[in-house]
Amino acid sequence: MTITINHIAIVVEDIEKALAVYRDALGLPLDHITEEPAEQVRVAFLPTANSEIELIQPTTPDSGVAKFLAKRGEGIHHVCLEVDSVDVAIQAMQARGLQILGESRVNQRGDKYVFMHPKSAHGVLIELYERPG
Amino acid sequence: MTITINHIAIVVEDIEKALAVYRDALGLPLDHITEEPAEQVRVAFLPTANSEIELIQPTTPDSGVAKFLAKRGEGIHHVCLEVDSVDVAIQAMQARGLQILGESRVNQRGDKYVFMHPKSAHGVLIELYERPG
């Protein structure tokens, strides 16, 4: 199984204020900003040489991301690990009694993904992600 | 300025328990485990295809990492961004009023590094790191 850090997602109150740090001061390029209505967030994509940093801003007060922000404040929301097979990864988790959040889903681009429960990953919300074949 | 995600550091209570998830279930390879007496931690290095995950376990109750763990629990401790020049990055931060934690330091291998204050990076503890020239 090849594992790649696909991206690190940071939840922020205001993408434009966060860009003043991550783009203007640190020097990361801004690829684009998009709305993701399904998750009720705006996302800014800032590629690094080997991976990507995503800044995510809730667009409603009711989403999971908005509640995370209200409870824990700004900071890292999740780490996305790209794997060869999400299904194989889920089987390996479940065989060890580790908890997956819901079922795997497929987004508009055909990417398959699922989240591990942070309690099963030593406090880290991990997204497991599989590129379309 | 080229920026690379050098590693993500996760603070854990017990490296062996965390390896049961990150190595055995997720399938990340364990490169090695080392003691870092200067930081009062043990560190397990788990390379990904493009970067690295580090599991860090405090070895004393008094270190910064131990206090972080006591206060916030297990989870991501910091993200290390490799930059061309730590000095140039510090200048860019300070020119924008962003806060650096102390001075840059050089470790035994000759790597230069410094940490940004999480308040200046939207809740993320960021290590800026420069490989020896």
Side-chain angles (χ1 to χ4, degrees):
Chain A
M1 174 95 74
T2 305
I3 299 181
T4 305
I5 298 176
N6 181 273
H7 64 264
I8 299 171
I10 301 169
V11 59
V12 299
E13 300 273 0
D14 181 322
I15 278 181
E16 278 64 34
K17 285 185 184 166
L19 285 174
V21 175
Y22 286 90
R23 178 190 56 193
D24 302 338
L26 276 171
L28 286 165
L30 172 63
D31 190 76
H32 67 288
I33 298 177
T34 188
E35 291 255 353
E36 296 199 355
E39 303 289 344
Q40 302 170 55
V41 292
R42 289 175 72 212
V43 185
F45 296 88
L46 298 111
T48 68
N50 63 338
S51 185
E52 190 162 63
I53 289 178
E54 296 183 6
L55 303 173
I56 56 176
Q57 175 189 334
T59 51
T60 70
D62 301 323
S63 66
V65 174
K67 288 173 186 165
F68 182 105
L69 178 60
K71 186 175 174 190
R72 307 195 37 165
E74 294 186 318
I76 292 173
H77 180 264
H78 69 267
V79 173
C80 176
L81 299 180
E82 186 176 329
V83 297
D84 295 335
S85 165
V86 162
D87 290 339
V88 169
I90 289 174
Q91 284 168 16
M93 300 297 132
Q94 290 179 334
R96 287 166 177 82
L98 301 176
Q99 197 180 339
I100 300 295
L101 291 168
E103 306 276 318
S104 66
R105 284 178 283 178
V106 178
N107 68 14
Q108 291 169 334
R109 287 192 305 270
D111 308 323
K112 187 185 277 192
Y113 63 100
V114 73
F115 284 87
M116 291 179 65
H117 196 297
K119 285 183 185 166
S120 285
H122 295 265
V124 183
L125 179 58
I126 291 183
E127 178 183 1
L128 298 170
Y129 162 87
E130 175 185 337
R131 227 175 260 275
Chain B
M1 174 94 75
T2 305
I3 300 180
T4 305
I5 297 176
N6 182 273
H7 64 265
I8 298 171
I10 301 169
V11 59
V12 299
E13 301 274 1
D14 181 322
I15 278 180
E16 278 64 32
K17 285 186 184 166
L19 285 173
V21 175
Y22 285 91
R23 179 190 56 192
D24 303 338
L26 275 170
L28 285 165
L30 172 62
D31 191 78
H32 67 290
I33 298 177
T34 188
E35 291 254 353
E36 295 198 356
E39 304 288 343
Q40 302 170 55
V41 291
R42 289 174 73 215
V43 185
F45 296 87
L46 299 110
T48 68
N50 62 338
S51 184
E52 191 163 61
I53 288 178
E54 296 183 7
L55 303 173
I56 56 177
Q57 175 189 335
T59 52
T60 71
D62 302 323
S63 65
V65 174
K67 288 173 187 165
F68 182 104
L69 178 60
K71 186 176 175 190
R72 307 197 35 167
E74 294 186 318
I76 292 174
H77 181 263
H78 69 267
V79 173
C80 176
L81 299 180
E82 186 176 331
V83 296
D84 295 335
S85 165
V86 162
D87 290 338
V88 168
I90 290 175
Q91 284 168 16
M93 299 298 132
Q94 291 179 334
R96 286 168 177 80
L98 302 176
Q99 196 180 339
I100 299 295
L101 291 168
E103 307 274 320
S104 66
R105 286 178 283 178
V106 178
N107 69 14
Q108 292 167 334
R109 288 192 305 269
D111 309 322
K112 186 185 278 192
Y113 63 100
V114 74
F115 284 88
M116 289 179 67
H117 197 297
K119 285 184 185 166
S120 286
H122 295 265
V124 184
L125 179 59
I126 291 182
E127 179 182 1
L128 298 170
Y129 162 86
E130 176 185 335
R131 225 174 261 275

